[in-house]
Amino acid sequence: MSELVLHVTGARPNFPKAAPVIAALEARGVPQLLVHTGQHYDERMSDVFFRQLGIPMPDINLEVGSGAHGAQTAAIMTGLEALFVERRPAMVVVYGDVNSTVAASLVAAKLGILTAHVEAGLRSFDLTMPEEVNRMVTDRLADVLLTTSVDAVAHLGNEGVHAERIHFVGNPMIDTLLAHRDRFDPAPLRAELDLPQTYLVATLHRPGNVDRPQDVQELVQAMHAVADQARVVVPLHPRGRDRLRAAGFFDHPQMQVVDPYGYLEFMGLVRGSAAVVTDSGGVQEETTILGVPCLTLRPNTERPVTITHGTNRLVRRETLAEAVREVLAAGPLQDWPVPPLWDGQAGPRIAEVIVRRLAGAR
Ligand code: UD1
Ligand code: UDP
């Protein structure tokens, strides 16, 4: 029987999660195939991660590109179905909660191929988020559920998932962070952007913030009230760029909007910042380890461990400026707890679960 492990990646947050899993399986001599769906395709949203994180170049790129949810998910499914039938992997590994994740899970389930979900069990309980739909469907279908936090284990248990399917392995995104931490240097971008000592970083791309005109208007007001207090660097995701520009987001002297950065540059910038304003999932986790205060501009989070253990706090657009004032007045954090198993060893733990499962399936 095939021992091939096939990884499906496609969007920016997948790459730092997959890197340590691929490396750990490689170290154990497991045959692997890396598929990129092409959901993200800009140099700064994709290729740069492969170069900087030493991920092998994808064996196959489906080049599906952007589209409405149905069209994009269907295109990924069509491409993956042909590939899975041809290559017959022993296991498919999917990451996170993007459309590429759910598309791969559906195809693998219909073909009866074992599936492992890295970052299983996270729940915002907010079905207006496309990611929540993707998470729920993926977890319902996957055979091996690899979790990053204790609350994720509990959610799966509450949904009736048998304990045998759940493995609490820690956070592979944090493996990547810890492996490259020494390379996170704010100095080059400080010089290039002519930044003052105290500056903030913001990333904004959730549909709940950047899609509807009313939300965009409120976001612009809230962020300008932040920029009244300190310089804000915004490596802006392409999703809301045109709408934010049209709504005047860029038009504040302290608002420095730039293209997305590569992983190392971005993490260097965050490391040197006084605080981060974000609606990203991954950034809530990264700031938790770096000890940078994180203000999450969302009504909920699927990552509550970053609040109980990390530096994260949920804020609304109306309360953002006040929260920034508090964080700047408080100054750098001295001490904060770190979530269990966010220790840089999630990749090897995941590889161990996969190898054992493949041995059992043989
Ligand atoms: C996707 C994920 C989201 C994740 C985000 C990370 C889904 C449903 N959403 O959202 O969970 O937080 O990625 O970055 O999978 N675009 C480009 N260049 C690119 C990619 C996208 O210009 O390389 C633009 C296109 O106009 C596209 C839009 O961004 O229509 C949205 O891209 P898409 O992949 O559909 O969703 P994201 O908002 O990126
Ligand atoms: N990131 C990056 N450059 C940027 C913004 C983000 O390298 O300009 C990285 C960062 O490590 C983050 C990851 O990309 O954790 C995925 O972030 P994104 O916000 O796109 O996705 P999410 O985690 O919200 O799904």
Side-chain angles (χ1 to χ4, degrees):
M1 180 173 166
S2 153
E3 288 207 326
L4 183 69
V5 172
L6 188 154
H7 305 266
V8 178
T9 62
R12 178 166 72 179
N14 293 157
F15 310 130
K17 294 169 195 170
V21 180
I22 294 168
L25 287 169
E26 176 70 26
R28 299 186 66 141
V30 175
Q32 305 184 72
L33 197 73
L34 177 56
V35 179
H36 190 314
T37 64
Q39 177 173 345
H40 286 174
Y41 42 84
D42 289 347
E43 216 285 321
R44 297 275 192 106
M45 298 293 287
S46 176
D47 291 20
V48 66
F49 290 84
F50 288 79
R51 276 202 314 280
Q52 293 189 344
L53 302 181
I55 308 171
M57 285 316 283
D59 299 288
I60 290 134
N61 191 324
L62 300 176
E63 294 182 357
V64 297
S66 301
H69 283 269
Q72 185 179 61
T73 307
I76 299 169
M77 289 179 70
T78 305
L80 289 179
E81 188 171 53
L83 186 69
F84 291 0
V85 167
E86 185 200 330
R87 305 300 292 251
R88 264 338 274 195
M91 183 183 276
V92 169
V93 185
V94 300
Y95 297 87
D97 54 18
V98 300
N99 285 347
S100 301
T101 314
V102 73
S105 310
L106 281 163
V107 174
K110 297 280 180 84
L111 291 173
I113 301 171
L114 270 180
T115 309
H117 182 204
V118 173
E119 205 183 83
L122 297 187
R123 295 290 180 268
S124 66
F125 301 101
D126 177 356
L127 276 165
T128 66
M129 292 182 72
E131 294 84 2
E132 185 70 358
V133 179
N134 294 345
R135 289 180 201 118
M136 288 170 63
V137 174
T138 302
D139 286 339
R140 188 75 186 82
L141 297 176
D143 304 278
V144 180
L145 298 167
L146 301 151
T147 61
T148 53
S149 58
V150 175
D151 57 282
V153 175
H155 294 322
L156 292 169
N158 292 341
E159 290 172 16
V161 176
H162 199 284
E164 255 177 26
R165 278 170 63 205
I166 307 170
H167 305 268
F168 176 36
V169 289
N171 192 336
M173 188 125 178
I174 301 307
D175 288 23
T176 296
L177 183 148
L178 295 175
H180 296 277
R181 191 180 194 156
D182 292 348
R183 299 162 77 197
F184 301 161
D185 180 6
L189 281 180
R190 262 189 198 283
E192 190 183 316
L193 300 172
D194 195 20
L195 293 177
Q197 183 57 33
T198 298
Y199 67 91
L200 307 174
V201 176
T203 79
L204 298 160
H205 72 278
R206 292 275 161 224
N209 278 326
V210 303
D211 278 12
R212 287 188 340 176
Q214 176 68 29
D215 294 322
V216 171
Q217 268 313 329
E218 288 175 22
L219 180 69
V220 171
Q221 274 174 20
M223 288 301 295
H224 282 188
V226 172
D228 287 341
Q229 302 177 54
R231 183 84 70 83
V232 189
V233 185
V234 191
L236 193 57
H237 186 289
R239 181 182 189 93
R241 195 175 186 93
D242 292 347
R243 278 183 296 269
L244 287 170
R245 189 201 303 276
F249 182 83
F250 296 26
D251 307 334
H252 187 292
Q254 295 238 82
M255 191 73 86
Q256 217 162 349
V257 182
V258 292
D259 284 338
Y261 282 121
Y263 180 79
L264 297 176
E265 294 79 9
F266 179 72
M267 296 304 297
L269 192 69
V270 169
R271 188 181 199 171
S273 70
V276 171
V277 177
T278 194
D279 56 14
S280 160
V283 174
Q284 294 172 57
E285 298 184 343
E286 291 156 341
T287 47
T288 276
I289 297 300
L290 292 175
V292 174
C294 181
L295 299 172
T296 296
L297 205 43
R298 283 179 41 186
N300 50 56
T301 179
E302 62 290 334
R303 293 164 162 87
V305 74
T306 60
I307 298 175
T308 54
H309 288 66
T311 61
N312 192 18
R313 175 171 156 195
L314 296 180
V315 290
R316 290 177 285 120
R317 294 192 276 265
E318 312 84 86
T319 57
L320 175 64
E322 186 52 36
V324 166
R325 205 162 289 124
E326 284 168 25
V327 160
L328 290 177
L333 288 169
Q334 300 306 332
D335 202 17
W336 65 98
V338 167
L341 300 192
W342 291 22
D343 59 357
Q345 294 304 313
R349 282 187 211 106
I350 292 170
E352 173 66 20
V353 173
I354 290 176
V355 166
R356 269 210 241 140
R357 185 60 206 249
L358 287 176
R362 218 180 279 136

